[in-house]
Structure formats: C-alpha cells, structure tokens
Amino acid sequence: KAGVTQTPRYLIKTRGQQVTLSCSPISGHRSVSWYQQTPGQGLQFLFEYFSETQRNKGNFPGRFSGRQFSNSRSEMNVSTLELGDSALYLCASSFGQDLTDTQYFGPGTRLTVL
Amino acid sequence: AQKVTQAQTEISVVEKEDVTLDCVYETRDTTYYLFWYKQPPSGELVFLIRRNSFDEQNEISGRYSWNFQKSTSSFNFTITASQVVDSAVYFCALSEAPGNTPLVFGKGTRLSVIA
C-alpha cells in the first residue's frame, strides 16, 4: 500500500505570495492532519480534517487554511507569506475519526520564504 | 493540558553501544496513547510504536524496546547495539482519549551513532 504523498517536496516563495501544498493520504484513510515543523517551535499542529470537515485547528493565524476533498486528499494554503512561515510542512493520515489512531506521515514539503 | 518533555536534546554514541531516550509526559486523562516516531534526515516521520495507558507491559521489537511506567509518567525508548542507520531525531508524542485532541509532540532527541 502506498504511503502518504506530499507535493511539492520543495518550494521557494517570496514574502507576500501565497502557496498551496497538497497531500494524498494512504488509501482508505479518511483523516488528514497537517503539522508545521521549525527548529525553534518543533512540531506544531495546524489542523485536521475528516470526511471533508475541519474538526480541529491549532493556534495559527487565519492566513493558514486547508480543505479536504471527497477522495480524502487535502490541501493547505498559506496566504501573504512571511519569513517565519519557512518550515517543513508535514501531512499525516489515519484510518478513522479518532485522533488516538496511529498517524502515518508523508515526507513533507520544505517551504522557504525569501 | 497535555505536555511531552524530552530532556535530552542531543545524544552521541559509538556504534554497538546501547542508548536510552527519555520521554516524560503530563496529562490529566486516565486514558491516553503514547507514540514514538523516528525522523531520519529525509524528513519523514516514521511510526515506531503506539501504546495505550492501560498496557504497561514493556515492548520489544528487535533491537528496540520501550519501558512504560505510569508511576513516573515516563515512556522511555532503548536501542540495543546501536547502528549508524539509527542516527535520526526521535520524537515522543501523546494523544488523549476520547480522540478529539491532536497529537502533542516533544521537542525530539537527536541521536548520532558514530561508526
């Protein structure tokens, strides 16, 4: 079974631009979570979707948004990029609606904001 | 509020040595789940183990073993006879039940195994 895939793997943007990252979960998984990883803050939860509904949201500004499609694929969008948005963005999928289920992570998208 | 502490920021060992990575957690729930993930230089977090709060039996998987002690709120991870391929950042994480709260990760421990 294929793992979680994320595209693109690397991205360079400039301040003020917007970016969209994509995540395809493991086949059959319906929950998708997004995390931001930076050297200073570590792994921080962004949001989680199940059956196209956002169920949880972390403490991030409204510039960070996401959505999930009927096939469970998910996208996250960051508008008006800031230098501090440079990070590794990780997507994880799990089977059910319980967040205590094991989450399987993708390889991440490394975003650099110049 | 839930919290995970990995006090060891970086550990360096010589190949074939045993190494233990510490994880201390805080939670007010009686039902919760603990996880360990490995993050090699490629960046992907690799799932290692999931343990619920009612199962205090130690777990062994090849060279990996985990010691769960509720009395000290610890879930430590030991690698026996370490290898260079074990070099990575290891994260401990906590999820409270019912499962509507997201995973909370520790800051991670960077393990370097030197040949």
Side-chain angles (χ1 to χ4, degrees):
Chain A
K1 194 182 263 192
V4 178
T5 58
Q6 292 186 245
T7 56
R9 293 292 312 278
Y10 301 91
L11 208 48
I12 299 176
K13 292 286 187 179
T14 55
R15 278 181 300 174
Q17 288 187 309
Q18 74 164 21
V19 67
T20 299
L21 312 182
S22 180
C23 171
S24 292
I26 292 171
S27 178
H29 284 194
R30 297 167 63 192
S31 172
V32 173
S33 298
W34 289 89
Y35 295 84
Q36 181 197 65
Q37 185 178 24
T38 59
Q41 299 299 317
L43 278 154
Q44 292 185 287
F45 171 75
L46 280 157
F47 27 65
E48 184 259 346
Y49 289 87
F50 180 82
S51 292
E52 302 178 66
T53 300
Q54 184 183 90
R55 296 192 302 170
N56 281 285
K57 190 176 192 309
N59 190 25
F60 279 81
R63 300 185 297 106
F64 292 82
S65 63
R67 59 177 175 169
Q68 186 180 34
F69 302 95
S70 58
N71 61 358
S72 294
R73 191 176 70 83
S74 177
E75 289 181 346
M76 68 163 281
N77 183 77
V78 187
S79 63
T80 318
L81 284 166
E82 301 178 358
L83 294 179
D85 297 333
S86 294
L88 179 67
Y89 290 88
L90 291 160
C91 165
S93 75
S94 58
F95 178 73
Q97 59 184 342
D98 194 322
L99 288 177
T100 60
D101 288 345
T102 298
Q103 294 184 37
Y104 295 90
F105 284 78
T109 294
R110 188 166 295 281
L111 172 64
T112 301
V113 182
L114 302 176
Chain B
Q2 50 185 332
K3 183 180 177 182
V4 176
T5 301
Q6 295 180 255
Q8 304 150 308
T9 306
E10 293 191 35
I11 299 176
S12 185
V13 299
V14 176
E15 204 171 22
K16 298 184 183 176
E17 285 185 350
D18 298 347
V19 58
T20 295
L21 310 183
D22 297 333
C23 172
V24 174
Y25 61 92
E26 294 176 30
T27 177
R28 284 177 286 191
D29 278 7
T30 56
T31 305
Y32 51 89
Y33 290 79
L34 295 162
F35 301 80
W36 275 95
Y37 285 87
K38 172 183 179 180
Q39 187 176 40
S42 61
E44 179 175 348
L45 265 72
V46 177
F47 166 72
L48 296 177
I49 190 170
R50 172 179 182 257
R51 174 54 56 86
N52 77 56
S53 53
F54 297 107
D55 183 2
E56 288 193 72
Q57 279 194 330
N58 289 335
E59 175 105 6
I60 298 175
S61 177
R63 297 184 297 106
Y64 295 170
S65 63
W66 290 269
N67 179 257
F68 178 29
Q69 292 198 334
K70 287 178 76 170
S71 60
T72 56
S73 297
S74 64
F75 187 43
N76 296 337
F77 172 34
T78 297
I79 303 174
T80 303
S82 60
Q83 300 176 1
V84 172
V85 292
D86 296 327
S87 297
V89 181
Y90 291 86
F91 292 93
C92 181
L94 166 70
S95 183
E96 295 172 333
N100 292 327
T101 55
L103 273 178
V104 170
F105 285 88
K107 293 291 189 183
T109 297
R110 181 178 299 278
L111 173 65
S112 298
V113 181
I114 304 164

